[in-house]
Amino acid sequence: LTSSNDLVTDLIDRAGGLLSNSYPLASKLVRDNKIINLSFKEIIRFPSSKKNFTLIDGDSLVIGVKTNMVKIEGEVNSPGNYQYFNGKRFNDYIDLAGGFTRDASKSSSYVSYPNGKSKKIKLIGLSPEILDGSIIYVGKKQEAEVFSFTEFVTTYTSIWADITQAWLMINLATR
């Protein structure tokens, strides 16, 4: 850093700018040995925006590169790494991975984007667009407890017996 007012774009400009294969969306700031996921895409596009922040001594900027891959994990028939296709959505990648398994839970699925943000999959509506370097995670259904009528009746009866006993004791104590 050359001054205490150096911004992200100042450092990138001094370094000669971004390379042609740079992927500002997959960028990270390392501060105090902590990785902070963020996107430099808007900062670079609009250097005068409020998102362009001041760097402090010891900060490191890591600008990612496009991987041309999307990783799919969890309850799909063929989890793994898949080629990135521009404009494809969550459902398209699930189809590429052979679809959901029997134990899959769409409601507990999400996409983790290269800038560290994530988006939960909604049951209704358009499936989210997938970006280069995203990770799709398909969750597993929670195991449902089998309903036991006998256990229900036993618990219900026990509760009513306790309430009746308390009511009788209160009535006897007030006489």
Side-chain angles (χ1 to χ4, degrees):
L1 301 176
T2 58
S3 78
S4 61
N5 296 329
D6 275 347
L7 299 172
V8 171
T9 51
D10 297 332
L11 185 61
I12 291 172
D13 290 343
R14 251 195 328 277
L18 298 178
L19 299 174
S20 61
N21 66 342
S22 297
Y23 191 34
L25 190 65
S27 305
K28 294 172 180 26
L29 166 71
V30 180
R31 180 174 283 173
D32 297 327
N33 292 321
K34 295 179 186 129
I35 295 175
I36 302 163
N37 294 315
L38 51 99
S39 170
F40 290 138
K41 184 178 178 180
E42 288 186 46
I43 293 171
I44 292 166
R45 186 180 291 161
F46 306 107
S48 59
S49 77
K50 293 179 182 178
K51 293 184 178 187
N52 194 5
F53 57 92
T54 305
L55 298 169
I56 61 173
D57 192 35
D59 283 355
S60 296
L61 303 180
V62 180
I63 308 291
V65 295
K66 290 190 175 191
T67 61
N68 292 314
M69 286 192 323
V70 171
K71 186 173 187 175
I72 305 175
E73 298 178 345
E75 296 301 313
V76 291
N77 289 310
S78 288
N81 294 310
Y82 290 85
Q83 180 182 358
Y84 168 72
F85 295 102
N86 190 25
K88 294 264 187 198
R89 297 188 168 276
F90 173 82
N91 290 338
D92 300 320
Y93 281 98
I94 296 302
D95 289 343
L96 281 175
F100 294 112
T101 65
R102 188 175 319 169
D103 295 330
S105 170
K106 188 173 180 181
S107 65
S108 63
S109 301
Y110 63 92
V111 177
S112 178
Y113 292 107
N115 62 359
K117 292 182 180 179
S118 61
K119 186 169 193 163
K120 190 167 174 43
I121 305 304
K122 295 180 181 171
L123 295 176
I124 299 173
L126 194 61
S127 71
E129 187 175 353
I130 303 301
L131 303 174
D132 188 355
S134 295
I135 300 171
I136 297 172
Y137 180 77
V138 178
K140 190 172 189 171
K141 287 180 186 171
Q142 297 294 326
E143 301 231 354
E145 280 188 43
V146 179
F147 178 74
S148 168
F149 184 75
T150 306
E151 186 177 337
F152 171 76
V153 170
T154 304
T155 304
Y156 185 76
T157 305
S158 174
I159 290 170
W160 272 109
D162 290 344
I163 291 172
T164 304
Q165 185 178 12
W167 181 76
L168 288 172
M169 289 175 70
I170 291 170
N171 272 346
L172 290 174
T174 57
R175 288 187 177 176

